[in-house]
Amino acid sequence: MRLEKKQIWYRVGVILAIVLAFGLLLGGVVWRAAVESEAYQVAQAQVLAETEEMLSELYADAENEVPKREVTHTQIEVVAGRMVDLEAKRYQEARVEIGRRLEVLREFVRLKGEINGYLADGVLKTEVEAEAIKTTAAGLNELPESYRKVLQGDFDKVQAQYQALVDVKTAVEGLFTDEKMTVIKPRLTRAEYKTVVEKVGKLSQKAVAKGYEETLARVDKVLVQREKEAAEARQRALEARRRAEELRRQQKQEEMAAWRVLNVPYHSQNLQQIYNGCEAASMLMALQYKGYLKGVDLHKYAEMIPKSDDYNTGFVGSIYDLQPKTYVHWIAPAPLAKFGRESSGNANVVDVSGASLADLDKEVVAGNPVIIYVTFLFNPLKEWLNGAPKNLHVVLLTGYNEKTGTHRLTDPWTQSDGGRTYDIPRAELEKIYNAVGKRAVVVR
């Protein structure tokens, strides 16, 4: 019995020792794990800090938004290599963000390489194609704006130089009418050509510009020839105009010389309120031109004209008033000629009614004014009343141009602009003169 108790306590002691040993061992393991976990987190935080610091070195601003122009793939991959050691789950979001930034930087560096590859010492290479530039532009548009701005200046240079090459090619081809550039445009101007030459001269690609020299020289040669021919044509035209002007001047001189004008003294029937005194005024002007009735005024002379109810005997109606308008206030050529002779003593006042206008021209050329019966302002004839058209008017034929056939008339009815004489084409005068009945009185 006693032996059995001893064995029991022995077994209990062994168990307790085992439990105690296991507890000590487990506690050591837990303690060691805790110590090691804290060190791991400190190390991971250090990796993150170093990675972020290395990443920050790739940017030109404190906010890490503007990449440095000189950043390289090697620098990016160094950061990526350091980030591999960042394994802690708690830093997963930071790892993803850093990875995203590195991808954008890789694209930035790739596009930078593309753009730099288009240029040689700042000059666009001629082998660069439009599709490549278009692809690069699409890539730039995918970058954040702050990244794109760093490369935009160089890319703008690429685009501008490429467009300049395209514009020059189009401009040079535009000097010709055919695709093979053999026929120069017929209406090409020196100014247009000069504009193209200036565009070529501004090209950054001097080899390309030089390649256009022969073509431009060929165009210039043609323009020089055309300009010479145009100058000769202008000279011929100038000479032709000079000859034409000289001919016109000679014709004008001949026309002026062909005038036979009688400068008769003037009397105005309307300004002196003798409204129906056209016959009296015309006769007085003609007589005074021939030297008769000097100093006699129109009022006095109008009073002297014979009055009658018969226009074949004397003046019908009032010589002063336009009323009544139921008949024509006038005197026929025969009694007018008689009045002219008797009032002046000039026996050479003759009724030449029925004479042609050509006959009257001869009288004027001979220096004899002719009183002719027409209509007022040469309007179409109105109705006839007591032997004459209602708009009858008498004027003095005082000029004739043998070269042009033009007639000059002195009108006793002064126009509102002060006009006293006017020239009328032969055909117009002859038509009215004939229509009124070829009535005329010559004062020789």
Side-chain angles (χ1 to χ4, degrees):
M1 187 71 169
R2 198 176 191 130
L3 181 61
E4 289 179 358
K5 286 183 178 181
K6 274 183 166 185
Q7 289 178 340
I8 291 171
W9 282 110
Y10 175 77
R11 290 175 182 172
V12 170
V14 170
I15 292 170
L16 288 174
I18 292 172
V19 169
L20 179 62
F22 181 77
L24 291 172
L25 178 62
L26 180 63
V29 170
V30 171
W31 176 82
R32 182 185 178 91
V35 170
E36 288 179 351
S37 176
E38 183 178 351
Y40 176 74
Q41 294 301 327
V42 171
Q44 287 290 288
Q46 182 65 29
V47 171
L48 176 61
E50 290 176 359
T51 302
E52 288 180 339
E53 183 177 357
M54 293 169 66
L55 179 65
S56 179
E57 290 297 320
L58 305 183
Y59 290 90
D61 64 323
E63 292 76 20
N64 291 350
E65 295 295 337
V66 181
K68 291 179 179 179
R69 180 184 294 271
E70 61 274 13
V71 66
T72 66
H73 275 296
T74 300
Q75 292 173 315
I76 294 172
E77 296 311 318
V78 168
V79 177
R82 188 71 184 100
M83 188 181 67
V84 170
D85 295 330
L86 189 63
E87 300 172 341
K89 187 175 181 180
R90 65 187 298 181
Y91 299 127
Q92 184 62 31
E93 289 184 7
R95 180 187 176 93
V96 170
E97 174 60 18
I98 293 171
R100 184 192 67 77
R101 284 182 172 273
L102 291 177
E103 282 302 313
V104 177
L105 284 170
R106 287 187 184 100
E107 181 64 8
F108 170 83
V109 172
R110 186 188 71 79
L111 290 171
K112 180 180 68 172
E114 280 188 5
I115 294 171
N116 290 339
Y118 296 151
L119 301 168
D121 295 328
V123 177
L124 180 68
K125 298 175 183 178
T126 56
E127 63 269 20
V128 176
E129 297 181 353
E131 192 60 35
I133 297 175
K134 184 177 179 181
T135 301
T136 302
L140 281 175
N141 287 334
E142 294 297 322
L143 285 179
E145 184 180 359
S146 58
Y147 288 65
R148 186 168 61 250
K149 284 182 177 180
V150 177
L151 303 178
Q152 195 65 53
D154 287 340
F155 188 67
D156 287 346
K157 182 186 296 184
V158 169
Q159 288 184 309
Q161 291 190 28
Y162 183 83
Q163 188 60 48
L165 286 170
V166 172
D167 291 346
V168 165
K169 183 175 183 295
T170 302
V172 172
E173 291 174 348
L175 300 175
F176 300 86
T177 60
D178 61 323
E179 293 182 357
K180 294 183 178 180
M181 295 194 296
T182 57
V183 182
I184 297 170
K185 282 185 175 180
R187 296 184 179 275
L188 182 66
T189 66
R190 173 63 66 177
E192 291 170 333
Y193 169 76
K194 184 178 179 181
T195 298
V196 175
V197 171
E198 289 175 350
K199 284 185 177 181
V200 172
K202 291 178 181 178
L203 282 178
S204 299
Q205 296 75 15
K206 299 308 175 185
V208 175
K210 188 171 181 61
Y212 286 119
E213 287 181 358
E214 186 276 332
T215 301
L216 294 175
R218 180 156 48 92
V219 175
D220 180 65
K221 184 177 179 181
V222 172
L223 285 179
V224 168
Q225 180 61 31
R226 288 181 182 177
E227 288 162 355
K228 179 181 177 182
E229 293 172 356
E232 292 172 349
R234 287 194 298 271
Q235 186 59 37
R236 289 193 298 271
L238 183 62
E239 183 62 24
R241 287 196 296 271
R242 188 194 65 76
R243 289 195 300 269
E245 184 60 33
E246 178 63 21
L247 180 59
R248 284 193 293 270
R249 187 184 64 80
Q250 291 177 356
Q251 290 176 339
K252 189 68 175 179
Q253 289 178 341
E254 291 173 0
E255 289 176 5
M256 293 300 295
W259 273 107
R260 179 68 171 93
V261 178
L262 311 180
N263 294 313
V264 300
Y266 186 73
H267 293 282
S268 174
Q269 64 180 102
N270 55 314
L271 295 184
Q272 297 189 56
Q273 298 180 335
I274 308 174
Y275 296 112
N276 293 316
C278 54
E279 297 96 331
S282 295
M283 178 61 75
L284 183 58
M285 288 188 286
L287 287 169
Q288 289 184 340
Y289 175 75
K290 300 301 284 188
Y292 297 91
L293 302 178
K294 298 286 187 177
V296 176
D297 63 29
L298 182 56
H299 275 280
K300 181 177 180 180
Y301 196 63
E303 287 294 327
M304 296 169 58
I305 196 167
K307 312 297 190 298
S308 174
D309 293 333
D310 182 0
Y311 54 84
N312 287 315
T313 302
F315 190 87
V316 175
S318 170
I319 199 168
Y320 298 105
D321 301 319
L322 297 176
Q323 300 295 338
K325 294 186 176 181
T326 55
Y327 56 86
V328 181
H329 301 250
W330 76 299
I331 182 173
L336 179 62
K338 180 181 179 182
F339 168 61
R341 291 191 296 270
E342 292 178 350
S343 63
S344 65
N346 180 2
N348 292 315
V349 180
V350 183
D351 175 11
V352 291
S353 296
S356 67
L357 189 56
D359 294 332
L360 302 186
D361 294 339
K362 294 176 183 178
E363 292 290 348
V364 173
V365 171
N368 303 321
V370 181
I371 300 167
I372 60 172
Y373 288 64
V374 289
T375 58
F376 190 73
L377 297 178
F378 294 90
N379 291 320
L381 276 68
K382 293 185 178 179
E383 60 178 317
W384 287 66
L385 299 172
N386 60 303
K390 192 173 181 179
N391 57 340
L392 178 71
H393 188 45
V394 171
V395 297
L396 197 60
L397 180 60
T398 55
Y400 173 65
N401 191 301
E402 294 178 319
K403 189 171 183 64
T404 64
T406 305
H407 295 81
R408 181 162 297 171
L409 302 172
T410 300
D411 192 344
W413 188 281
T414 307
Q415 299 302 310
S416 59
D417 60 359
R420 301 177 175 186
T421 64
Y422 46 86
D423 297 340
I424 183 170
R426 180 183 187 83
E428 186 176 348
L429 176 60
E430 191 167 37
K431 178 181 178 181
I432 298 297
Y433 171 68
N434 291 346
V436 173
K438 294 185 178 181
R439 291 166 169 168
V441 175
V442 64
V443 179
R444 301 187 175 108

